[in-house]
Amino acid sequence: SWGQRFQHYLTQHWHIYVLVRKALTPKMSRDQGQFYDALYGLDVEGRYERAWEASGILLATFKTAAEKSGARFLLVYVPAIVQVEAEEWVPKLRDLVGPIDLLKPNKRLGAIAARYGIDFLDLYPAFEEEAQRQPLYYRDSHWNPAGHDLAARQIAAHLGGQQ
């Protein structure tokens, strides 16, 4: 039957189904809403505090493991498209969460880095500035070549400045 053939096609090409579904869904799913709420929401009740604390412990553990192996550990914050192209993306978030702070993840990771003595580079300022001149993301929110180039230059400059 047609239904069975379609179901077989979807199982073979699941990624196409997911992309089409995402494109046709006007609002984000409940899970995505919770994700954005945790990441950018003000969280006055502290619902996600334990997750941030666990993230700090994990990052400190990664730092220790890297240093034990003789490597340097650098925590790099990769800005999301919603932060850099806020005029396009923020209206989509308003349907999901209450008050938001688009720089919350940057601040939280910066605080975690300070607490655990982790070298930290926030790429947001450079991305926010460069996005005024050229696009840095594909529409699926991944970096385009210009975004990758900017990140590479920023990381190289940061690492080069510490030697």
Side-chain angles (χ1 to χ4, degrees):
S1 82
W2 184 88
Q4 288 173 328
R5 287 187 302 208
F6 184 66
Q7 184 176 8
H8 175 73
Y9 177 82
L10 288 180
T11 61
Q12 299 300 310
H13 304 283
W14 184 252
H15 61 284
I16 294 171
Y17 169 74
V18 171
L19 290 174
V20 169
R21 189 174 124 209
K22 183 178 178 183
L24 296 177
T25 303
K27 290 190 175 192
M28 293 182 200
S29 72
R30 184 178 188 280
D31 289 342
Q32 286 174 313
Q34 289 177 337
F35 170 78
Y36 282 113
D37 189 36
L39 204 55
Y40 304 115
L42 296 185
D43 192 23
V44 292
E45 295 97 27
R47 291 177 293 168
Y48 304 108
E49 193 59 36
R50 288 181 63 197
W52 284 107
E53 289 173 12
S55 296
I57 292 167
L58 287 171
L59 289 167
T61 302
F62 291 152
K63 174 187 183 267
T64 300
E67 290 172 347
K68 281 184 181 177
S69 71
R72 290 175 57 190
F73 183 77
L74 172 63
L75 175 59
V76 178
Y77 180 74
V78 174
I81 192 171
V82 69
Q83 295 176 295
V84 176
E85 297 182 6
E87 66 282 345
E88 179 179 341
W89 291 90
V90 169
K92 296 174 185 176
L93 293 179
R94 287 195 182 122
D95 290 339
L96 300 172
V97 297
I100 59 173
D101 177 1
L102 288 179
L103 297 181
K104 177 184 164 187
N106 314 49
K107 295 172 194 172
R108 293 301 306 252
L109 287 175
I112 287 169
R115 177 178 180 185
Y116 291 103
I118 297 171
D119 188 14
F120 178 65
L121 172 61
D122 183 354
L123 293 177
Y124 170 78
F127 269 69
E128 197 273 332
E129 181 180 331
E130 186 63 25
Q132 306 306 311
R133 291 185 280 281
Q134 67 176 324
L136 300 171
Y137 297 88
Y138 291 118
R139 295 305 82 205
D140 68 356
S141 77
H142 290 89
W143 289 341
N144 64 23
H148 281 278
D149 181 65
L150 177 59
R153 286 185 285 114
Q154 292 294 309
I155 292 168
H158 182 87
L159 292 174
Q162 293 187 344
Q163 292 185 17

